[in-house]
Amino acid sequence: MLRVRAPATSANLGSGFDTFGVALDRPSDVVAVEKADRTSIEVSGVGARFIPEDPEQNTVGAVADALDAPARISIEKGVRPASGLGSSAASAAAAAVALNELYEREKSREELVPIAAEGEAVVSGDAHADNVAPSILGGFTIARDDGVTRLDADISLVVCLPELVISTRDARQVVPEQARMPAVVETVRNAATLTAGIARSDPTLVGRGMDDPVVTPARAELIDGYEQVRRAAFDAGASGVTISGAGPGILAVCPDGTQRDIALATIETFADAGIEARAFQTAIGSGATLL
Ligand code: HSE
């Protein structure tokens, strides 16, 4: 039996919709695999009751199919489903790395990214790789159809999770089909700024580059209290605040010494809006690891 841990991730970072992602140093999923004649899946841990164990409907079943690697698979969830932290991607990433090893498929980590993304298509209807890429490779990733570019960065973050449920499928339905040219120019400018900030491990530049005038405003409507929480996080010292992935999690970039205040500010502001929330301090972390 083989076990692999793969981290939660935060995709988009505002300006990099369906493109940017970062691995978080916590939480994570652990997937254990054992060879079998046909694939079966067991799920335990956080939010397990919301995750189908039917291989046709589980992200990990698609990964086992794509690698032609039938297995008894057990998923221990640490990443809450429908939180905006790449929950299904963490399972898919861990399964891809584990099954590749178990069946000696000898695929590189980069080659496993599109395979794990097939699992994403099962849950969101779309094979985007912006969560699975950092979950497999770690660090900050730029996912393209023809490959992934990866950068390391030392950036402190806070993630706040309100007790709201938004499915990726629903959040994708509000994404505008078109954008106006000034919004496109602003997005390109911000995405470039963010990438430079990552290359320099500079939280100010990363935060400045997170604004997104196209997708985030549409999705913010789905998260009660979002604008107030964003404002409160900035007031507490954040250099950038946006929706984590498809939401409802909120991601804040934290200059030195601001993490605790930002975490508290987000929880208190959601509470003022009548929404329970929890927040945790994290950072850009490493990718999937064999245990
Ligand atoms: N880029 C994706 C989205 C991430 O925002 O819809 C969630 O799967």
Side-chain angles (χ1 to χ4, degrees), residues 107-124:
K107 299 215 179 280
S108 68
R109 290 280 174 126
E110 284 75 11
E111 287 171 330
L112 290 176
V113 169
I115 290 169
E118 284 306 315
E120 281 290 76
V122 174
V123 286
S124 72

Side-chain angles (χ1 to χ4, degrees), residues 251-270:
L251 178 75
V253 177
C254 309
D256 282 352
T258 59
Q259 265 181 316
R260 191 166 181 278
D261 287 351
I262 292 168
L264 289 174
T266 57
I267 295 170
E268 281 165 12
T269 312
F270 267 125

